[in-house]
Amino acid sequence: LEADKAGIQLTVHAIGDEANGYLLDMLERIIEKNGIKDRRFRLVHAQIMQPQDIERAGKIGIVAEVQPYHCTDDMRWMEERIGHERSRGAYAFKSMWDAGVVVSFGTDSPGTKLKLAIDSGKHDTVGIDLVAMCVNDLIVQGAEPLFFLDYFATGALESGIAERVIAGIADGCKQAGCALIGGETAEMPGMYSDGDYDLAGFCVGAVERDQVLTADKVAAGDVILGLASSGVHSNGFSLVRRLAADKGWKLDRPALFDQTILLIDALMAPTRIYVKSLLPLVKTGKIHALAHITGGGLLENIPRILPNTLHAHVDADAWEQPRLMAFLQAQGNIEPEEMARTFNCGIGMAVVVADDDVAAVTAALEAAGETVFRIGHIADGEKGCTVTGSDETWSARAPWSATHAG
């Protein structure tokens, strides 16, 4: 920074409480070094300055014109209304909130499922996975996906691969009812091994203010419905790939659990997109909460939608374990308790509704093409989730239970 002795005017962007202290330290050094007497600074913050920092600024002669409203204040303002857990993916400028609109956004990727796609040459559906991981995280806020952007990065573009991936992204956007408005294809020699690529997706949605799904809508006595998954979806593939290598799976052969499908096709089945099935019900107000079952499984995802005083109870006997999940469990010698926190176990989305609305919601979801199970309930208790099963459920040798404190 350069300053003359007549005065200095800076525009400084500071993030976080500690940044204010560092900023004032810097200004004191500048003032002392340059002998500046006429001091007036306009400090534009992403966070309101703390009273002690404003007092300190005054003592050293700095006039702090703190902008009274900025992005972090907006997030805090949202947290007061819809809770910390839910506000992380939902955002509203006050003017938008006053107009009755909340913007929701998310970013994600298919994770290490991409490596299996690359190794097997199955590039056509990972784009659907990319979209699904983003838009399913928006619908749990109650938001309708509007726009999607993708990022495709590779060391060297190979003929046809990017086109196949992006065609899958377009297909996913069509399934979700959102617009693919742009993206970036980055060719970066030396950054990736031959044939490798990476994907990231970014999605923006919107929801009417009174339709935002929040934890305060969930109540003791509510019922948990489970929507069937289409397969492994996009989580747990580090373990899947390790099992494939350790067990010497023949991915291009019919699956042991289903001779009508190749094992690789069963593993690469694209993540189901639930947006069009759920959105009409969200707008009716009959859905109290939604949990996208991703990494962490049923145990770790359902507590995210609960207040501190409620506990989710899931009965693993309520649906039949998919044969693919049974195969993975047997191949990995995985205990039921660990399955409940590793894979989706056949449930891709948990839907919390009032007991009186179970029949109507189930009928609407089935009419939209979903397979629906009544898998549990909400009760008073410490925030968390418990999954229980009887002997032989998920290959258990005795009744079992697994709990995750939220």
Side-chain angles (χ1 to χ4, degrees):
L1 296 172
E2 294 182 0
D4 58 44
K5 296 183 184 302
I8 182 171
Q9 182 174 350
L10 302 175
T11 298
V12 182
H13 293 267
I15 300 175
D17 292 336
E18 292 184 0
N20 296 322
Y22 294 135
L23 172 62
L24 292 173
D25 289 342
M26 179 190 72
L27 294 177
E28 282 188 294
R29 290 195 297 271
I30 293 173
I31 290 168
E32 182 179 354
K33 180 178 179 180
N34 293 276
I36 298 171
K37 295 181 180 180
D38 182 14
R39 307 160 187 171
R40 186 171 182 82
F41 296 89
R42 180 173 182 269
L43 308 182
V44 182
H45 283 260
Q47 182 167 313
I48 292 296
M49 286 185 73
Q50 299 301 310
Q52 64 269 23
D53 291 323
I54 295 176
E55 182 180 358
R56 179 185 170 193
K59 287 181 179 178
I60 61 177
I62 299 173
V63 179
E65 295 181 357
V66 181
Q67 185 166 312
Y69 186 82
H70 213 292
C71 59
T72 300
D73 301 304
D74 208 45
M75 289 301 293
R76 289 175 175 171
W77 189 84
M78 279 292 290
E79 288 177 13
E80 292 175 359
R81 286 155 178 78
I82 66 176
H84 174 68
E85 283 290 327
R86 311 305 289 174
S87 69
R88 290 187 301 178
Y91 190 84
F93 290 105
K94 188 174 184 299
S95 59
M96 296 177 66
W97 179 273
D98 291 342
V101 178
V102 175
V103 173
S104 187
F105 48 82
T107 181
D108 213 327
S109 82
T112 56
K113 188 175 187 178
L114 277 179
K115 187 61 177 172
L116 190 60
I118 292 165
D119 291 344
S120 64
K122 297 285 185 178
H123 307 288
D124 300 276
T125 57
V126 287
I128 299 175
D129 290 304
L130 178 67
V131 175
M133 295 302 289
C134 295
V135 299
N136 284 343
D137 280 351
L138 292 194
I139 191 62
V140 301
Q141 306 285 347
E144 178 178 4
L146 301 175
F147 313 120
F148 191 88
L149 297 97
D150 68 272
Y151 177 76
F152 179 98
T154 186
L157 286 171
E158 296 187 24
S159 177
I161 292 180
E163 289 86 344
R164 292 164 65 188
V165 172
I166 294 170
I169 295 172
D171 188 4
C173 287
K174 183 177 180 180
Q175 291 182 36
C178 64
L180 178 59
I181 62 171
E184 168 70 6
T185 300
E187 190 173 21
M188 299 182 287
M191 284 290 291
Y192 298 90
S193 299
D194 290 347
D196 282 355
Y197 60 86
D198 199 6
L199 283 178
F202 313 89
C203 195
V204 176
V207 55
E208 296 292 331
R209 184 176 64 192
D210 59 357
Q211 293 174 2
V212 176
L213 297 180
T214 60
D216 60 5
K217 295 182 179 179
V218 182
D222 281 355
V223 172
I224 307 172
L225 302 177
L227 306 187
S229 64
S230 55
V232 185
H233 283 187
S234 297
N235 296 97
F237 274 89
S238 294
L239 177 55
V240 169
R241 289 173 50 245
R242 191 180 74 193
L243 289 175
D246 291 348
K247 302 296 183 179
W249 292 350
K250 304 296 184 183
L251 296 174
D252 59 347
R253 303 282 182 83
L256 294 176
F257 54 87
D258 186 349
Q259 293 291 301
T260 66
I261 188 172
L262 298 181
L263 179 55
I264 185 60
D265 290 338
L267 295 171
M268 290 299 298
T271 306
R272 188 167 181 82
I273 294 174
Y274 299 98
V275 172
K276 289 186 176 179
S277 299
L278 291 169
L279 192 59
L281 286 166
V282 169
K283 293 180 177 180
T284 68
K286 293 184 183 297
I287 291 180
H288 292 178
L290 295 168
H292 185 201
I293 310 304
T294 57
L298 293 159
L299 277 175
E300 296 183 16
N301 283 284
I302 293 179
R304 295 179 179 179
I305 63 176
L306 301 177
N308 291 330
T309 57
L310 294 179
H311 195 91
H313 296 267
V314 175
D315 181 8
D317 293 343
W319 73 99
E320 184 177 354
Q321 184 185 38
R323 289 178 291 176
L324 172 58
M325 294 297 166
F327 170 76
L328 294 173
Q329 182 180 5
Q331 291 285 296
N333 193 27
I334 305 170
E335 294 296 328
E337 297 87 344
E338 193 61 28
M339 287 292 293
R341 70 174 72 252
T342 303
F343 296 108
N344 64 56
C345 298
I347 302 297
M349 184 73 72
V351 183
V352 179
V353 300
D355 193 11
D356 291 344
D357 291 328
V358 168
V361 170
T362 298
L365 288 169
E366 289 178 341
E370 303 295 343
T371 301
V372 186
F373 307 97
R374 182 169 177 153
I375 65 171
H377 67 278
I378 306 295
D380 291 322
E382 182 182 359
K383 181 180 179 179
C385 178
T386 297
V387 180
T388 57
S390 59
D391 57 331
E392 298 186 0
T393 298
W394 298 4
S395 303
R397 293 179 292 274
W400 58 275
S401 175
T403 296
H404 176 79

